[in-house]
Structures are given as C-alpha cells and as structure tokens.
Amino acid sequence: MTAAVGPEIAKFLAGSFPNLDIGDDDDLFDGGIANSLFTIQLIMFVEKRFAVQIPNEDLELDNFRTVTAMTKLVERLTQARSDV
Amino acid sequence: MSDRPHGREEFRAAVDAEIAPRAARFDRDQSIPGDVLRRMGELGWWGAILPPETGGAGMDMVTLGELHEEVGRGCSSVRSLLTVHSMVSYAVSRWGSDEQRARWLPRLARGETIGAFCLTEQRAGSDVANIAATAVRQDDGSYVLDGGKRWTTGGQIAGLLLVFARTGRGISAFLVERDTPGVEVRPVHDMLGTRGSMLAEIDFRDCRLGPGALLGPDGFALATVVTGVLDIGRYSVACGCVGILQACLEAGARFTAEKGTRTQPLSEHQLIRQMLTQTVTDVTAARLLCRQAGELKDRQDPQTIMATWIAKYFASTAAARAASDAVQIHGAAGCAPDHPAQRYYRDAKVMEIIEGSTQIQQIKIAEEAYRWTAR
C-alpha cells in the first residue's frame, strides 16, 4: 500500500483539477492551486485514504506543498503506526 | 442519558415545549435566560457533537443537523449559541492536545462552560487573512495576546474563547479563558436579528496566555482550524435556515387557512398559493442539501466542504425569501411587535451575512465551477 501513496495523491489532485497537469514536485501553494478551502479537503483526503490522523506538529504548509512532500509525510506516519 | 432526545421527532417536541413559545421573549429581552441554557445541558444539546467518552451525546452529523434545524425552527438565537459552542467544541475535540481535551471537553459537553468563536475584527470580516490581533511568544513559551474581536456570538456568556491571532509563523488559534486578566467583554445590543444571541465586542490587552493555550498547528490555523470550524458553523447555520423555512411554511399555511373573507379564505388566493409552493419546494430542497452535506461529513468525505457551502448558500437565501413572504402573507399582523414572522424576517437576513456572506459564496461556488471546466 505504501508504494501507492504518491499515485493516490496525484489521482486525487487530477480529479480535483481536471484541467491542470500537476507534477509530483509542483508547488500547490506558490502556484496558487490550493486555497485554504482546498487545503482542508486535501488534509481530509489524506487522513481518510491512508487512515492516519495528522498530528498538529505535522500540520504545516511544507508537508502539503507537493505530492512528494505529502507522500513522505504519509509514509512516515504509516511507518510510525506499524512500529507501535 | 435515557431522557435525552435523540431523533428529529423528539427534538421537535422539546423545541415546541421549551423554546418556540418563549422565542419572542428572548428576542425582546435580547437574552436567553439561565434556566433555558441549563435545560439545554440536560437535553444533551451543548455536547451533541462530542463523543460519549467526554460526556457528549456522540451524535452523527446528520442527526446534529436535524437538532440544529429543529432548534432553528423555534429560535435562531438559541441555535446561534449552539452553533458557536459546537464550533469551539469541535475545534478542541479535533485539534486539542490531550491536556486541552481532558480539561475542556467534559465542561463543554455539559454546557458548564459556553464556548464562543472570536475571528472577526473591525477590519477583518470575510477577509480573515487580514487579522490584526497578535500573540507574541515569550521566552518561557507563553504568549501575550493583543487585539479586538467584533460580533462575537455568545460573547456575553462565554467562558472559553477560541481566538485567532497572528504569531511569528502565521495565524494561530488560542483557547482563552474569559477571566484571563486583560480580557474585556462589552455587550452589543439592538442588532437587526438573532437579538437573543448575546453578542459582544471583546478586547484583549496584554493578555498573558500559558503555553497550553495554543490550539492546533502554530501558524497554519487558516487552512485547518478556521476552515474546519467555519465548516461546522456553516453547516449548523444552513440547517438552522431549514428550520426558519419550515417555521415560515407552517405559519403561512396556518394563517391563510384561517384568515380571509367569508366567501374566500386567503388560502384560495392563487398568489398566496404561489408563495407557499415556493416555500414548500425550498424547504424540501434545502433539507436535502443539508442532509447530503451531513452524510458526506459522516463519511469524512472532502466533498463535504463545498457541499456545505452550497447548502448554506441555498438555505440562507431561501430562508430570507420565505421570511419576506411570511411577513407579506401575514400583512400588518406579521409586522406587529413579537410576531414570529417579523422575527423570522430579521433573523433570516442575518443568516445571509454570517459564516460566509451570500456574495462570498457566489464567488467561491463559481470558483469551483471554473475548476471543473475544461481549459
């Protein structure tokens, strides 16, 4: 499942913005793609799809800036969970 | 727990027995009396949204929507207090640390502490990014809060304030106890509508907050706490507007069935029927939109955010229309002091302004349409 994290997030973005091509390292905030309304949708998607709750200390812009950053975050959180 | 109502029929009966008959009085006195606030605690309404392990009723969002609809049908001011309290409860439950949750959730669930939401400022309304209040972090980890908040629903009675302020890292959320030195609460009277919702202006001068006051991520509250909490507030307001629509429908139908000349009751007039038809259709559609938003929330589906915008936009504009018609249908009687129709009219207008004005929604919802449109 971990291997699919990046593509799953990319799929969600593609579904949300059908007329944009968003690369894995494209900045969603500097590029003006994500407003605060979309950001919370993104957080909700990540939490639900990967069954994680993102702790407050990880709720920061840099973790959601790109598909790559989100993938790292999810992998770290799911890794932490399986370590428990 | 067993005497707590937990379905629409029971909410309706409780509202008809304890809220609706006194709503004109609450409006005139511009306050909700303590016995009603306590009773709402016994009914489990303050803690409706909170999980049972914290003392809450653990309602799902669809049921919460039905509760707020029924309360809104009886009195928009009481519903407004429930709205902001639910917003604060949700924020603590969703973003609170273990300490914050243990400390506040049981009190919020019982309604022992009432929560209020302090976002709006003199120069920051819908444009929340313009917030000027500041919370400066000290070396010992505490914060010093300065700023002024306006139009705080429930501010006159709230014991726990959810305050948004600028820190070095961006905008953050803070839990501020009302008796913190430097907090000054001034009641605001004679508003157009929801006059019983005990509005206040609140100033914070050199307020020292412990390190435990920060709620949620530091500097990233706009896209998390603000947006998430406003989503709950918007949902509650949308459901409350369904209640106003229902109240307008029932009042209009009852009045016109009884009133008229001997030869022709008002209910026989086609133009009266046209107004009632519009209200019947609107209340049905608005209720379905709220239900859809609630079901998406229960599934934690990200689409609930936009579904709630749409529900609030439709329900609040329809409620304003229906309340205007309700006054029209009742004629001079509807304009009289203490008549429910004129209260619905004033309250419904406020619903078009709070938690995202009609115009902001027209911009945001259209933005969504453009997002979906091919290049």
Side-chain angles (χ1 to χ4, degrees), chain B residues 234-301:
Chain B
R234 206 168 280 133
Y235 177 61
S236 167
V237 169
C239 296
C241 288
V242 178
I244 295 177
L245 279 156
Q246 182 69 31
C248 290
L249 170 62
E250 290 174 20
R254 201 179 307 116
F255 181 77
T256 52
E258 290 164 1
K259 175 96 175 172
T261 60
R262 195 162 301 192
T263 50
Q264 197 180 27
L266 276 178
S267 58
E268 295 300 316
H269 287 279
Q270 290 184 342
L271 294 176
I272 294 286
R273 291 189 168 224
Q274 186 264 342
M275 285 190 265
L276 282 182
T277 296
Q278 187 65 50
T279 307
V280 169
T281 310
D282 282 346
V283 74
T284 309
R287 189 174 285 130
L288 284 171
L289 287 173
C290 286
R291 187 174 178 97
Q292 181 189 45
E295 285 173 354
L296 289 166
K297 282 187 204 310
D298 283 329
R299 294 205 297 269
Q300 292 160 315
D301 188 316

Side-chain angles (χ1 to χ4, degrees), chain A residues 16 19 35 47-48 56 61, chain B residues 94-95 220 299 371 373:
Chain A
S16 302
N19 48 355
N35 55 15
E47 290 193 334
K48 185 173 184 215
N56 285 333
L61 220 52
Chain B
R94 171 68 181 78
W95 286 284
F220 194 45
R299 294 205 297 269
R371 204 177 84 184
T373 309

Side-chain angles (χ1 to χ4, degrees), chain A residues 12 14-21 29 33 35-48 53-62 64, chain B residues 93-97 169 215-218 220 222-225 227-228 296 299-306 309 364 367-368 370-375:
Chain A
F12 177 73
S16 302
F17 299 96
N19 48 355
L20 295 180
D21 295 317
F29 301 106
I33 295 168
N35 55 15
S36 59
L37 194 149
F38 182 73
T39 307
I40 198 159
Q41 292 177 314
L42 197 55
I43 295 170
M44 286 177 78
F45 166 78
V46 168
E47 290 193 334
K48 185 173 184 215
Q53 175 142 3
I54 303 167
N56 285 333
E57 60 268 24
D58 284 322
L59 283 171
E60 52 175 86
L61 220 52
D62 287 344
F64 296 90
Chain B
S93 163
R94 171 68 181 78
W95 286 284
S97 63
R169 303 190 63 191
L215 180 82
D218 185 9
F220 194 45
L222 273 192
T224 55
V225 187
T227 312
L296 289 166
R299 294 205 297 269
Q300 292 160 315
D301 188 316
Q303 285 191 45
T304 189
I305 305 283
M306 188 41 71
W309 277 85
K364 291 281 180 193
E367 211 172 277
E368 192 81 348
Y370 285 118
R371 204 177 84 184
W372 282 96
T373 309
R375 268 186 286 215

Side-chain angles (χ1 to χ4, degrees), chain B residues 43-164:
Chain B
L43 291 164
W45 292 356
W46 294 117
I49 201 174
L50 291 173
E53 60 270 22
T54 65
M59 279 180 203
D60 59 46
M61 296 301 287
V62 168
T63 310
L64 181 89
E66 290 177 349
L67 171 64
H68 286 205
E69 177 193 326
E70 290 301 328
V71 174
R73 183 179 58 80
C75 177
S76 290
S77 294
V78 172
R79 199 268 309 136
S80 296
L81 294 178
L82 269 187
T83 299
V84 292
H85 181 85
S86 305
M87 291 163 81
V88 174
S89 302
Y90 177 82
V92 178
S93 163
R94 171 68 181 78
W95 286 284
S97 63
D98 290 345
E99 294 76 20
Q100 287 167 331
R101 292 166 53 88
R103 173 143 191 231
W104 292 112
L105 292 183
R107 294 185 225 184
L108 290 166
R110 288 192 295 267
E112 203 177 287
T113 299
I114 303 294
F117 175 72
C118 301
L119 177 67
T120 304
E121 298 180 2
Q122 194 83 40
R123 289 184 186 78
S126 303
D127 46 357
V128 284
N130 287 348
I131 282 177
T134 55
V136 180
R137 201 183 144 103
Q138 312 296 299
D139 291 340
D140 63 357
S142 66
Y143 290 87
V144 174
L145 173 67
D146 280 285
K149 297 292 178 176
R150 298 293 175 265
W151 320 123
T152 302
T153 296
Q156 294 175 31
I157 55 166
L160 183 64
L161 309 169
L162 177 60
V163 184
F164 295 89

